[in-house]
Every structure is written in C-alpha cells, then in structure tokens.
Amino acid sequence: MINQKSIAVLPFINMSSDIENEYFCDGLTEEIINALAKIKQLSVTSRTSSFYFKSKSVSAAEIREKLKVATFIEGSVRTSKNNMRITVQMIDTVDDFHFWSETFDRNPENIFEIQDEISLFIAEKLREHIGHLEIEDKLIEPIDVPVAIYREYLKGKYYIMKLDFDNSIKGIKILKEVTSKSPNFIQPYLDINLSYIYMGTLGLLPASEAFQKAQPFFEKAMELNPNSPRVQLNLSWIESWQNWNLEKAYDHANKALEIQPADDIYLTISNYLTVEGKLDSAQNYIDKALQLDPFSAMNHHYKGFLLYLQEKYNEAIPYLQKALELNKGLPFPPLYIGECLLLIGKHQEAIDYYNNLEGVPVTDLTQLGGLAMCYAKINDIEKCNKKIAELETYLQSENIDKAFNFLILVNVLLGNHDQALDFVEQAFENHLPLILLLNTEPIIKPIKNNKRFKSIMLKAIPDNVNYRQKKKYKQALLEADEIEKYRKELDQIMVDYKLYLNPDLSLKDLASYLELPANYVSQLLNLGFEKNFSEYVNTFRVNEFKERVLLEENKGLTIMAVAYDSGFNSKTVFNTFFKKIEGTTPNSFLKLNKEN
C-alpha cells in the first residue's frame, strides 16, 4: 500500500538553450527536494531516484510503480535576460490527473526567494490535497552569497553530481573557486569533501589520497556549522570507521536524521547495526533507505550485502546485480556476487565470473582475492598459494585493508585457522576498518568461537550481539534514562514503518524492532507511555482512521472499511477504543467534521 503522504520531485526541464539554465534547473529541483524533506510527516523521494528520470518521458503509472509515491511534481524553467518563468504541476499518481499547476514569473536575481516561495507553495497545495502537514514559515533559508557566486556553485555541483572522474575534477575546481570568493559559504566545502570521498570509495582515486584531500574541506565546514546534517553525518562516519566508537557514531547519525531524514542516513545506521550483528534491525533501516531512494545503487548493494550476511545467497544476487545495473562502476557488488556463487556450490561459475570481471581495476583486488577464495574452496592448493603470495605483496601498499581481508578469508577456507587469526590480530593492530566487517562475515564462521577472535571482536565492538554477555533480568528492567531513550525510538519506529497497520502486530514484533526482550518493551509501554500494548498501538490506529476517513478518496467507503485499512481487525475493538480515546463515537466524529 502506497503512503498517501509521499511525493517525488522530478528534475525541472530546461526550456532555454542556455546551459547555465540547466545548472539552475537541477539546483532548483534539489532545493525543493531538500525543503520538502524537512516536513516530518512527508516521505520524499531522494535525489538519486528523482534524477533517474531526467530527460525521460514517463507516465504517472510508471512513477507510482517505480517510486511508490502518491504524488509527484514536474516543472520547467525558461529564462530571458530580465525574467524567469517557472511552471510547476502536481500530479496524483493514483488517478493520473493534474490537480493544480502554477506559473511563476520572477526576477532571476531573486533565486533564494523563488526557491522558498515555490517550496512553500507546493507544501501548501500538498496539504490541501492529502491532509494535515506541519509546515514551517520558511523551508529554504537565503544564503548570504551574491547570486552570481551561487550560480557558479550550482555549476560546480552540476558537474560533481555526474560522478565520473573528469567531471568530478572539473566540478571540484569550480567549487574551490567559489570558496575563495565566499569563504563562509558552507555548501561547496561539503560538496568537495563528499566528491573526494566518493572518488576514493569507488576507486577513481586511491582511497588514502582521496580521504586526505577531503579532510580540510570537511574541517572548514565543521567550523562554519557543526550542526549541519551533512557535517553530523561525516562526524558519524569518522567515529565509526576511524575511531571505532559506535555509540558516538549513532549519536551523530541520529542527530543528522532528526535534522533532515535522508536515505543515506538510514543506510549509515543500517551499516552500524550490521557491524554490531543486529541484522534484522539493519534490514529495517535499509528498507527505509530503499523506500526513499529506490534507484540508489548503494542502497541496492547494501540490501544484497545484508542478505549475503544472512546466508540468503540466492536472494542477494538480484539486488547486487541491480546495483551494477544502476551504477556499473560500483566496485563492491562484484565481490559478493562471486562469493554468493561460490557459497551456493557453483564453484566453476564463480571462477568464470571473477576471471571475466570488467570495469573493476586490478588494484581493487576483487579479481585476485575472489579467485584465491575459489581455489581455496575447491582445494586447488597450487593455484591458491600463487594468489596468496600475490596478495601478500599488497600488505605494504595502500591496499593493505583489502589484502588482509582476503588473506583472512582464504586461510579460513583452507582450514589454516591459526594463520587466519594471526592476520586478524595484525589487522587489529593496524586499526584497519575491515575488523568491523569481520564480525558478521559468513566465511569466517569456523573461527568465530575462537578465544583469540572473540577477544579482538569485543575490543573493537563492545556492544557486540555475537559475544556480549546476556543481560540478566532485574526487577526494574529499564532505568529512567533508558525508558526515555527507547520511548522516543519506539515512537519513531511506529511513524517510520507504520507497524500499526499490521492487524496481527504483537508485543514480540515491537520488541524485535527495538532489539529488546518482550518483558522490557512491556515495561517501557507501562512506564514510558502509561499504556498497555493494545492501548499504545490502537492510539496510532485511531489517529490513522481520523486522517483516512476524511480523505476525498475514501468517501465511498464504510466506516469499518476505513477502520480495517487503519489496522483494526475487530468492529468491537475499534468502537471501544475510538470512544475511549476520542470521547465520542466514530459516527459522531465523522458527522461533526463533515459539518465543519
């Protein structure tokens, strides 16, 4: 079922011949996406998925099917020397009709006012169509830079978002010039930082070189605004992958999420849950990321990666292949496609796959390490030892992390457990991020219960579900601060995933989302909300019913049909809880609101 409070903003069409207008069109689209994402109750498709449809002719039905949204925006921009005409249309994907359109004739110099005006206009029209939304007085704050410099910024952003090496370097050069002219403008610093990190991650630059180049721009952005969601997200990555402090990593990621929900933040939290071994919760977060950005190659890769970690190899492969379809240059999926084939017993197919890799640099080590694992699995010791010797030559290179990873996996497959553990200890001593990923890797199951391995994992990941001591239940299960923490988390989970729409939802289901025993969640509901399970869940269902029953599209439905759509499965329970919570009957509520 598609969330009625969901929207996508398709790239605005450039109706002028001037390439400069193309930069503005993309920039306007992105600003509107970011502005609408600030509205808490609204689910907004991320930039990647929206821009997937740039220059493509698509129907409302296709948008509904592919982006899973109830509404979308499309528009165009035509500029002349003294005038800018922006046309905006809002389309309902269910009934395929344009329920409003508007034309704005404005002065091109008033860029920031135009962006905010259009974003607010869209939000207001959306509220009229789908129901209540909390909308701030301003959705886009003006930037204290001259319009000419802001246009240069849009130009630089336009090039780096193409994501290939040449355009990234071109965009970075433009953005560096922007920072020299407006040194207090935070956004270009963040974009340069992100561009370098992306190039390092994808192997377009050596990772160490890329991260080193990125760091000064991040530090400047942090100096300008430490509370920016992008700064908080970067701090989160640093705490996780450099400092191995997952508690602080979560704090920064959740702060970023609170400021502005975005798919890459959900992906990041999914990543941390994976490191701790909380794979079911990690799946919940990656599913939310995919909902917001279904055309993100990284989101599809990570979904496949999680399925790989859960040893669901046949289910993982289509997601990994989809990731490559969306971004053939993504370096991660090929490794796990080959490993999936290997672990389901298709040994020769895995060997052929690694031998025929295209587009993956030799220095990525995917082919070398992949073949080493294959030869280890089929016990071709001679070929395997040659690959091991070659992998060992990379231990003194910038690819030390990947070399250690493959050497650990290959030695486990060969049954050389002591050698594998020696490599694990060396990787730990070198503070290599691969240590965090070993915790859930299926191939190393034979050494996971080894005392040496357990000791390293607990040093690296103290809150490790694989090895930590089980909590002994106590009379007072949760402390006051824990109740407050989990209370907020549970409310957010209910809002994000609409669990209450499941009529068979149980206390154990809630407990699985919070990674707590059911006894703890029962106490949380009692002390944190002063409600039992039924009261807590049915309050959400009653509020859902109140919104749905007033929608134009539901006028032909009976009250109980709407109640069932809202998660109730009993007429008696519905009527009882509605009257208890609202102090009136559903019929009286509907009659009163129709009169008003």
Side-chain angles (χ1 to χ4, degrees), residues 37-38 40 226-229 232 254-261:
K38 294 178 182 177
K40 300 293 185 185
N227 292 319
S228 157
Q232 287 296 315
N254 284 322
K255 187 172 182 180
L257 192 64
E258 186 178 337
I259 299 168
Q260 188 171 11

Side-chain angles (χ1 to χ4, degrees), residues 46 94 100 159 181 203 217 257 264 309 464 519 521 536 557:
S46 293
V94 179
W100 66 259
Y159 285 112
K181 295 173 184 175
F217 297 96
L257 192 64
D264 56 345
L309 295 180
N464 191 319
N519 283 343
V521 178
Y536 177 71
L557 298 179

Side-chain angles (χ1 to χ4, degrees), residues 205-233:
L205 277 176
S208 57
E209 177 188 342
F211 298 157
Q212 185 177 4
K213 287 183 174 180
Q215 188 62 22
F217 297 96
F218 168 67
E219 289 173 356
K220 180 62 178 178
M222 186 165 62
E223 176 189 318
L224 291 170
N225 183 4
N227 292 319
S228 157
R230 295 294 102 186
V231 168
Q232 287 296 315
L233 191 57

Side-chain angles (χ1 to χ4, degrees), residues 500-504 538 541 544 562-570:
Y500 51 86
L501 293 180
N502 174 10
D504 299 318
N538 285 324
R541 289 170 176 159
E544 183 79 11
V562 178
Y564 290 137
D565 285 345
S566 302
F568 286 99
N569 61 4
S570 162

